[in-house]
Amino acid sequence: MPFRYLGVPIKAGRLTKLECTALTEKMVAGIRGLGAKNLSYAGRLTLINADGSPKYHRVPLVPWDKVTLPKTEGGLGIKKADMWNIATVGKLVDLIYCKADRLWIKWINDVYIKNNDWHSYTPPADATWVWKNICKVKEKLKNGYVDSIWTVSPKGYSIKSGYEWLSPAHIHLDWSALVWNSWNIPKHSMTTWLRMQEGMNVKSKLARLDSCADDRCILCQLQPETVEHFFTTCVYSSKVHSYLVQWYGGCFPTVNDFVAAARNNIQWKVKVAMFNAFNYSIWYQRNNARVNDWLLRPEKVTARIEEDVKRKIKQKCRAIDDQTVLVWLQTMEVT
């Protein structure tokens, strides 16, 4: 003692930031090796949830406090590392509450707790750093215990229940079902999420930061490029709207239309998939026009949206016995 495991010293005392550098560098190198910078936003989200993220030097599109919210509350469901660590240590706290038959718990009771009540226990000044931090976590979680029983979850303590209990509650957003729907292609969902969070770098925002010469819409060159104009009133977007309406029938839906409609029918799900595909395709064409200075015709964009949506419908609708739905899908040339 001490010895190293995965490049990190294993010792009884507290690890310094410098001693953890070797491990973090290996993680970052692995992530960069996967080509993280070339991934779509949906790919980056999956990578972050699995492994972490390399250092990011650009200004974030959406504040971190929103990103770490659950998806139903407008976030991406990324865990806060510090709070997740507390919830993880909480598992040790729970084992002490339960008086689990483990050697280290017997040792803790003999050396530190002795005959004291664990719920109200305070560590001595000469206790180790590790033990003091376990006690700090106990103080954060103690209100969730009654008579040494974790009352938050009927199945007892889990890291997930501890994390959720530590996380402050926020308002459930109705539009979350529109974004995080199994009928959506993930990269389409990410674009809609950025739209709903106003996280897109439209020219009106860039102009305020002196990052572009003017705020004219790249697609129509008629009005200032705001998120609202870009997806609703822009001449280019409106043409795509009209072509899509001819394809599936009815008016082009708004966000409020989706929120107010029943969500358990296939028509709603198909329109959700189309709406998300539209958002992605229009944003893709806008960025393509800005970077490469060329743009597909609206009818070509519509054809690509239809192709994506039809492919998704065929994946999800293996067996449909509702004749009304079948007729509607036949008019869309899906079945």
Side-chain angles (χ1 to χ4, degrees), residues 81-225:
D82 54 348
M83 197 175 296
W84 186 260
N85 185 59
I86 292 172
T88 303
V89 177
K91 193 66 179 176
L92 304 179
V93 173
D94 185 69
L95 289 173
I96 299 173
Y97 266 115
C98 298
K99 296 183 172 144
D101 186 18
R102 307 210 178 170
L103 181 60
W104 72 271
I105 293 180
K106 294 178 181 178
W107 184 85
I108 287 295
N109 278 285
D110 289 342
V111 175
Y112 285 119
I113 301 177
K114 298 180 180 178
N115 294 322
N116 296 312
D117 176 42
W118 171 230
H119 196 70
S120 57
Y121 172 82
T122 302
D126 60 348
T128 65
W129 173 83
V130 172
W131 178 242
K132 286 181 179 178
N133 278 274
I134 291 176
C135 293
K136 286 180 181 178
V137 171
K138 185 261 297 182
E139 291 299 316
K140 294 179 183 292
L141 298 172
K142 66 186 300 182
N143 289 336
Y145 283 91
V146 176
D147 295 331
S148 300
I149 297 175
W150 180 249
T151 59
V152 177
S153 171
K155 296 183 179 180
Y157 186 86
S158 65
I159 297 175
K160 180 181 178 181
S161 68
Y163 181 86
E164 292 176 349
W165 188 77
L166 290 166
S167 304
H170 293 82
I171 298 174
H172 178 93
L173 298 176
D174 291 332
W175 57 257
S176 62
L178 165 64
V179 178
W180 308 115
N181 192 287
S182 62
W183 286 62
N184 298 341
I185 296 173
K187 62 183 180 181
H188 296 176
S189 291
M190 285 299 305
T191 303
T192 302
W193 179 78
L194 284 173
R195 173 184 174 179
M196 300 305 298
Q197 290 289 8
E198 298 185 353
M200 294 176 162
N201 279 331
V202 291
K203 291 182 70 177
S204 59
K205 181 190 293 186
L206 296 175
R208 291 196 299 269
L209 300 173
D210 294 327
S211 295
C212 62
D214 63 87
D215 64 353
R216 296 288 98 182
C217 175
I218 294 176
L219 299 182
C220 70
Q221 295 293 327
L222 297 176
Q223 298 181 30
E225 187 184 87

Side-chain angles (χ1 to χ4, degrees), residues 2-5 7-11 15 19-20:
F3 61 92
R4 290 180 176 270
Y5 178 70
V8 179
I10 304 300
K11 59 181 184 180
L15 289 176
E19 289 172 327
C20 295

